[in-house]
Amino acid sequence: MSLIKLTIKGISYSQTQSGAYALVLSEMEGTRTLPIIIGAFEAQSIAIALEKEIRPPRPLTHDLFKTFADRFTIAVKQVIIHKLVDGVFYSSLVCEKDGEEEVIDTRTSDAIALAVRFNAPIYTYENILDKAGIYLKLDEELIIEEDLESEEIEFSLEEEEAAAKDRYASLSLQELHDQLNEAVANEDYEMAAKIRDEISKRS
C-alpha cells in the first residue's frame, strides 16, 4: 500500500469539543485534507514549532525530546499515520540511530509535534484518506467526504484572523513588542504568534 505525503495546513479551534483543536493536514498532491482533533498543549507545541521566531523561555516536552535525541544521535526520519479506529488516529515514528531503524508507536499529535522539529515528512495511507479525508472548496468551506464518527469540524480561521487584526491594529509598534514579550513570558504562544504577524505586516 503506497504512502501519501501530507503537509500541515493549519490549526483551528474545534467547534465540537471544548478546549480541543483541529489539526488539519492536507495531501501534497491533491485536494483532500485530514482533520485530527488534538489537545490544547499539543496544538500549542505544534504552533510554536511552526513559528520559528517565537522561542519559549523554557523548553516544552517536545523540545526536550528533540534535544535528547540530538544528544544521542537519534533521528526521526518520518511519521506515518497508519490506522484509524473509532475516530482515533494511530501513528508511528520511524527513527534511526547508527544506521538501524526502529518504529515507535505514538499519539498522532505528539508525532506531528516531533515531525515539525525534526523536519521529518508526514505520511498516511490511501485507505485512511478515503475514509476520513475531506475536500477543501475554493471558498474555504470544508465539506465532509466521509462521516468521521459523526463529528463535524467547523473552521473559522478567517474570523479569528479578522478579530486579531482589529485587536492589534490600533496599537503602536512599541506596544505590540511589549505585548509580544509579555505573551512569550506568560507562555501564551498563540497570542504571541498573532502579535508577531501584526508586527511583520508593518515592517
Side-chain angles (χ1 to χ4, degrees):
M1 197 180 306
S2 61
L3 291 170
I4 298 174
K5 191 172 184 180
L6 304 172
T7 186
I8 298 174
K9 186 169 186 65
I11 302 173
S12 176
Y13 291 108
S14 169
Q15 303 298 313
T16 59
Q17 294 188 26
S18 177
Y21 290 76
L23 168 67
V24 184
L25 305 175
S26 63
E27 58 181 333
M28 295 286 287
E29 300 179 1
T31 59
R32 288 174 296 182
T33 61
L34 199 64
I36 301 172
I37 298 298
I38 62 176
F41 171 79
E42 290 77 13
Q44 175 179 272
S45 182
I46 293 169
I48 290 171
L50 292 172
E51 297 287 346
K52 304 299 183 183
E53 297 177 19
I54 296 177
R55 293 289 180 268
R58 298 175 297 168
L60 302 179
T61 303
H62 298 109
D63 297 321
L64 176 60
F65 185 98
K66 176 66 163 59
T67 301
F68 180 90
D70 289 344
R71 187 67 55 86
F72 292 95
T73 62
I74 300 169
V76 173
K77 307 300 292 184
Q78 62 184 14
V79 166
I80 301 176
I81 303 171
H82 61 82
K83 187 167 64 174
L84 173 61
V85 178
D86 295 330
V88 178
F89 293 90
Y90 293 79
S91 297
S92 296
L93 290 176
V94 180
C95 303
E96 184 181 75
K97 177 176 171 60
D98 299 331
E100 294 188 9
E101 198 170 87
E102 294 285 344
V103 178
I104 302 172
D105 287 333
T106 177
R107 296 188 307 169
T108 298
S109 55
D110 290 328
I112 303 301
L114 292 173
V116 176
R117 287 166 169 80
F118 282 90
N119 293 318
I122 304 164
Y123 297 98
T124 193
Y125 292 108
E126 180 71 35
N127 65 325
I128 293 178
L129 271 175
D130 284 341
K131 184 177 181 181
I134 58 178
Y135 286 98
L136 185 63
K137 293 170 59 179
L138 293 177
D139 60 3
E140 299 298 319
E141 291 181 357
L142 296 175
I143 307 302
I144 294 185
E145 179 191 14
E146 292 290 339
D147 183 8
L148 184 56
E149 297 304 315
S150 301
E151 284 187 337
E152 291 191 3
I153 301 169
E154 299 177 358
F155 301 93
S156 54
L157 292 173
E158 293 182 358
E159 293 178 3
E160 292 174 17
E161 290 174 0
K165 289 178 182 177
D166 292 340
R167 190 179 309 122
Y168 303 118
S170 61
L171 299 179
S172 67
L173 274 176
Q174 183 58 53
E175 289 172 325
L176 287 171
H177 282 289
D178 291 343
Q179 288 205 14
L180 176 61
N181 292 334
E182 182 180 350
V184 172
N186 293 332
E187 300 185 6
D188 188 346
Y189 302 113
E190 183 178 355
M191 179 180 292
K194 293 175 181 177
I195 298 171
R196 192 286 320 268
D197 290 342
E198 178 66 22
I199 292 174
S200 298
K201 186 177 69 174
R202 300 189 191 184
S203 301

